[in-house]
Amino acid sequence: MRIEILFPEFCNLFGDMSNMRYLKKCLPDAEFIETPFDGEPVFLREPVDLVYLGPMTERTQEKVIEKFLPHREKIQALIDSGKVFFFTGNALEILGSYIETEDGRRIDCLNLFPFHARRDMMHRHNSTFLGSFQDKPVMGFKSQFTLAYPDGDLPGLFPVKRGVGLNKKCNFEGIHSHNFFGTYLLGPLLLLNPDFTRYLLSCMGANENSLAFPEDMEEAYEVRLKDFLEKT
């Protein structure tokens, strides 16, 4: 099994690289490929079982968009074919139509999903989130300068129970299309939500018993869920 971590030297904010450190515990025999920004992504030319891209600064985000634009059709084909992608934080925005800045500048993105984002660098949005995935609670945290706005039929990932979705009026968070999973949720998400992690592992073709430290994960999940329900 092969997992590609894209641009880890830049796309590593909010401790979200812990998602990949935990996957290494789940899949100790897997090959983890760390592709630097000046390298060519392996998933564009060779089979991999998961492509991960984490949160990044806004300046880095624009560079990543530029790097991926020539490969737009290839990325679309891979998503449509069921390749597993896991994008966290503002990484998902590169696949929208555009990002609007405070001064009205428009940053064109890959336009693979019908939504746009609005950036407000003077006001960071921080919140806790409680939603669901396949009828199981999902928890996470948000810290971002953007909110996203669907421009068409956008396939949501987590229905909102408490907190803010893609924007303050949206009733879902994230994007789920085929095996593409994109979410603003931080946490890191895989450590917080064992049921979602099991599902992601199954999409990759991993054994259903691959979850590392399952008893500890479940116990911690129940404690966090109780705390979320009491405080959110």
Side-chain angles (χ1 to χ4, degrees):
M1 184 164 290
R2 309 175 82 201
I3 292 93
E4 182 171 18
I5 304 169
L6 294 172
F7 323 138
E9 73 274 38
F10 297 133
C11 304
N12 58 14
L13 302 184
F14 305 110
D16 256 36
M17 286 298 292
S18 294
N19 283 309
M20 295 299 103
R21 287 195 287 271
Y22 179 65
L23 275 190
K24 289 179 181 180
K25 298 292 185 181
C26 296
L27 303 168
D29 297 325
E31 177 187 4
F32 284 79
I33 306 163
E34 297 191 3
T35 300
F37 185 78
D38 61 358
E40 181 184 359
V42 173
F43 80 93
L44 292 173
R45 65 180 191 277
E46 298 177 18
V48 299
D49 298 287
L50 173 72
V51 181
Y52 173 73
L53 183 62
M56 64 201 82
T57 67
E58 285 68 28
R59 182 174 297 178
T60 298
Q61 189 182 44
E62 294 185 40
K63 293 180 180 178
V64 172
I65 292 168
E66 278 185 41
K67 187 175 182 71
F68 278 160
L69 273 173
H71 308 289
R72 178 190 179 279
E73 292 184 3
K74 175 68 173 180
I75 296 171
Q76 178 74 77
L78 288 170
I79 292 174
D80 291 344
S81 70
K83 179 68 64 184
V84 185
F85 290 83
F86 181 44
F87 283 22
T88 61
N90 61 358
L92 68 88
E93 293 174 2
I94 69 173
L95 302 186
S97 53
Y98 64 92
I99 300 168
E100 181 183 316
T101 67
E102 303 94 326
D103 60 3
R105 185 168 63 98
R106 174 172 166 149
I107 303 163
D108 289 328
C109 301
L110 272 66
N111 198 26
L112 300 186
F113 294 112
F115 76 97
H116 68 278
R118 293 178 188 161
R119 187 183 291 174
D120 184 354
M121 298 299 294
M122 297 302 293
H123 300 91
R124 181 189 291 274
H125 171 83
N126 296 298
S127 66
T128 56
F129 175 87
L130 178 64
S132 64
F133 183 77
Q134 295 187 337
D135 298 322
K136 297 289 184 68
V138 168
M139 295 167 283
F141 306 92
K142 293 190 165 209
S143 186
Q144 60 203 74
F145 288 112
T146 47
L147 293 173
Y149 298 86
D151 296 315
D153 188 13
L154 189 64
L157 177 57
F158 303 130
V160 176
K161 291 188 174 180
R162 299 184 186 182
V164 174
L166 288 180
N167 62 69
K168 294 179 180 179
K169 295 183 178 180
C170 188
N171 63 2
F172 63 86
E173 206 290 324
I175 298 170
H176 181 199
S177 177
H178 304 286
N179 287 325
F180 175 87
F181 302 88
T183 176
Y184 281 113
L185 296 187
L186 310 169
L189 185 64
L190 299 188
L191 286 166
L192 293 175
N193 301 282
D195 290 310
F196 175 75
T197 305
R198 283 192 184 94
Y199 185 84
L200 184 68
L201 286 165
S202 71
C203 292
M204 296 164 57
N207 185 285
E208 62 181 15
N209 297 318
S210 295
L211 195 73
F213 319 117
E215 295 84 4
D216 293 335
M217 290 280 288
E218 293 291 353
E219 183 179 353
Y221 172 80
E222 294 298 332
V223 171
R224 282 191 297 266
L225 180 58
K226 181 181 178 181
D227 187 61
F228 263 63
L229 291 173
E230 289 176 350
K231 294 183 178 179
T232 59

